[in-house]
């Protein structure tokens, strides 16, 4: 059954999936999507690659502490026992413990044109897209020399008019809205979240009480902001937790027994806000080591009793 399913997938695979472009230095080994970028009647073959990497992230496996063997997760039916993963099918739960089974052929029948085509539908100013909607970045590249000419025309025209293109494509079984922008010699794209994926911010912020901060405190806070202002240099911001975790693993690999220290204390609302602002200003905006576990709140003043 499993071999027949694999054979059927090979037979019905779209033409563009049979020819993978050569590996691009600095990018993921394989594109996450292949198809055509189209502007009206102009189109070119393109491939979409991830612009980010999680390759350096530390990950853990579940291990049997007695044998140090990695534990394997075996799909199991509560009535019949273990199953082969290749024999499983997709099911949508429409009621508790009741499923509609959907086959590969049925999924193919609802595919859209955007499965193979990133069709530019609109051009917008980047400033009109709320940052809440920006999601994952990708690099969009032409797949051959013939496609590069049309690709270059679209890229240069967008760059000269300072516009962002919007289009849709099907990726990982979902149709996604994409924002495309020119960058140097290429095109960078971002998945954009749909309207129903972003919370109603106006509703979410209703719970914040209406306050009128002390004007002097605001002025001090602005001076602290000036002290901390600087350029964005990604190399300066490292994952210190990841570095500490790597050092812990390195020491354990050598057979050392790391010293276990107490975790940082929880913040406590015990500091006078004006005093905290003044001390922060004096420290150049940096958090003094002895107060890194503390938060700030305005002191509570009791109302005077009427005489």
């Amino acid at each position: 059954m499993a071999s027949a399913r694999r054979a059927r997938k090979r037979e019905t695979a779209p033409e563009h999936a049979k020819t993978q472009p050569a590996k691009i230095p600095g990018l993921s080994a394989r594109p996450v999507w292949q198809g055509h970028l189209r502007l009206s009647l102009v189109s070119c073959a393109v491939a979409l690659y991830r612009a980010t990497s999680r390759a350096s992230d530390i990950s853990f496996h579940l291990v049997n502490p007695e044998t140090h063997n990695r534990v394997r997760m075996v799909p199991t039916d509560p009535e019949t026992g273990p199953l082969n993963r290749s024999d499983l099918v997709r099911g949508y739960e429409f009621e508790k413990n009741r499923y509609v089974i959907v086959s590969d052929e049925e999924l193919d029948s609802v595919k859209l044109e955007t499965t193979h085509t990133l069709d530019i539908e609109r051009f917008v100013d980047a400033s009109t897209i709320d940052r809440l909607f920006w999601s994952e970045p990708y690099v969009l590249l032409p797949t051959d020399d013939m496609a590069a000419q049309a690709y270059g025309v679209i890229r240069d025209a967008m760059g000269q008019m300072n516009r962002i293109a919007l289009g849709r494509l099907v990726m990982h079984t979902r149709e996604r809205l994409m924002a495309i922008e020119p960058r140097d010699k290429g095109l960078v794209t971002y998945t954009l979240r749909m309207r129903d994926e972003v919370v109603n911010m106006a509703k979410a912020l209703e719970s914040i009480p209406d306050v009128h901060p002390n004007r002097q405190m605001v002025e001090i806070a602005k001076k602290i902001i000036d002290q901390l202002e600087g350029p964005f240099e990604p190399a300066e911001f490292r994952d210190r937790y990841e570095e500490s975790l790597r050092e812990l693993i390195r020491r354990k690999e050598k057979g050392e027994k790391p010293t276990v220290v107490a975790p940082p204390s929880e913040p406590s609302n015990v500091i006078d806000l004006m005093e905290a602002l003044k001390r922060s200003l004096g420290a150049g905006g940096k958090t003094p080591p002895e107060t890194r576990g503390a938060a700030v709140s305005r002191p509570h003043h009791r109302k005077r009793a009427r005489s």
Side-chain angles (χ1 to χ4, degrees):
M1 179 179 177
S3 59
R5 185 183 292 114
R6 284 193 293 269
R8 185 171 65 251
K9 285 182 179 179
R10 284 195 296 270
E11 292 170 1
T12 60
E15 190 67 28
H16 74 272
K18 295 179 182 178
T19 56
Q20 297 287 350
K23 178 169 170 40
I24 307 296
L27 294 176
S28 54
R30 297 196 311 174
V32 296
W33 180 87
Q34 275 185 262
H36 285 79
L37 173 65
R38 185 166 63 192
L39 172 60
S40 189
L41 299 178
V42 178
S43 66
C44 56
V46 291
L48 194 68
Y49 296 83
R50 293 188 184 279
T52 59
S53 173
R54 305 295 299 272
S56 61
D57 286 5
I58 291 177
S59 59
F60 295 95
H61 297 295
L62 292 177
V63 175
N64 183 339
E66 297 182 1
T67 64
H68 281 205
N69 290 330
R70 180 179 173 184
V71 176
R72 303 294 178 182
M73 300 299 178
V74 180
T76 304
D77 186 302
E79 295 182 7
T80 62
L83 296 167
N84 292 323
R85 191 174 295 275
S86 59
D87 293 332
L88 303 181
V89 295
R90 298 179 183 86
Y92 175 80
E93 187 177 31
F94 63 95
E95 290 180 5
K96 184 67 174 177
N97 295 326
R98 295 189 65 191
Y99 297 87
V100 170
I101 303 301
V102 181
S103 68
D104 292 341
E105 291 80 4
E106 289 167 333
L107 284 176
D108 289 340
S109 70
V110 297
K111 283 185 176 179
L112 305 172
E113 185 180 9
T114 47
T115 302
H116 309 308
T117 304
L118 174 51
D119 206 345
I120 296 176
E121 302 176 28
R122 186 174 303 172
F123 290 93
V124 301
D125 190 299
S127 63
T128 64
I129 305 176
D130 192 316
R131 290 190 183 186
L132 286 171
F133 289 85
W134 294 93
S135 188
E136 295 292 326
Y138 294 85
V139 181
L140 190 67
L141 299 176
T143 58
D144 53 50
D145 293 342
M146 185 179 297
Q149 184 172 358
Y151 177 95
V153 169
I154 296 172
R155 175 202 62 211
D156 288 359
M158 288 176 59
Q160 291 174 25
M161 296 194 68
N162 194 27
R163 291 291 185 270
I164 298 288
L166 298 182
R168 282 176 279 193
L169 60 77
V170 174
M171 182 169 56
H172 307 314
T173 71
R174 287 186 55 201
E175 186 175 50
R176 299 172 188 270
L177 179 61
M178 309 294 292
I180 310 165
E181 67 172 354
R183 176 173 298 199
D184 299 328
K185 292 174 59 179
L187 292 171
V188 176
T189 73
Y190 298 82
T191 51
L192 295 180
R193 299 179 178 93
M194 298 294 191
R195 171 68 267 180
D196 59 359
E197 294 180 283
V198 177
V199 300
N200 185 329
M201 288 300 296
K203 198 74 176 175
L205 301 179
E206 283 181 359
S207 61
I208 300 176
D210 291 328
V211 295
H212 302 283
N214 179 287
R215 191 172 298 177
Q216 184 181 0
M217 292 184 183
V218 174
E219 290 302 316
I220 296 175
K222 287 166 64 176
K223 292 179 181 178
I224 295 172
I225 292 172
D226 281 337
Q227 290 178 339
L228 293 175
E229 188 175 2
F232 173 55
E233 299 289 350
E236 294 181 5
F237 297 91
R238 306 184 312 276
D239 187 339
R240 294 172 296 183
Y241 176 78
E242 183 102 353
E243 291 177 351
S244 298
L245 195 55
R246 288 189 183 280
E247 177 62 17
L248 170 65
I249 292 172
R250 185 191 66 79
R251 294 180 63 182
K252 290 185 72 69
E253 284 177 344
K254 291 185 174 182
E256 300 178 20
K257 188 174 182 180
T259 303
V260 178
V261 297
S265 59
E266 289 285 335
S268 57
N269 298 322
V270 295
I271 300 177
D272 177 83
L273 180 54
M274 179 62 86
E275 177 63 21
L277 286 166
K278 291 178 179 178
R279 291 182 64 191
S280 297
L281 185 61
K286 304 293 184 181
T287 306
E290 69 274 10
T291 61
R292 280 183 182 148
V296 297
S297 65
R298 293 194 64 172
H300 177 70
H301 296 288
R302 292 183 180 178
K303 291 182 179 179
R304 291 182 179 179
R306 292 182 179 177
S307 55

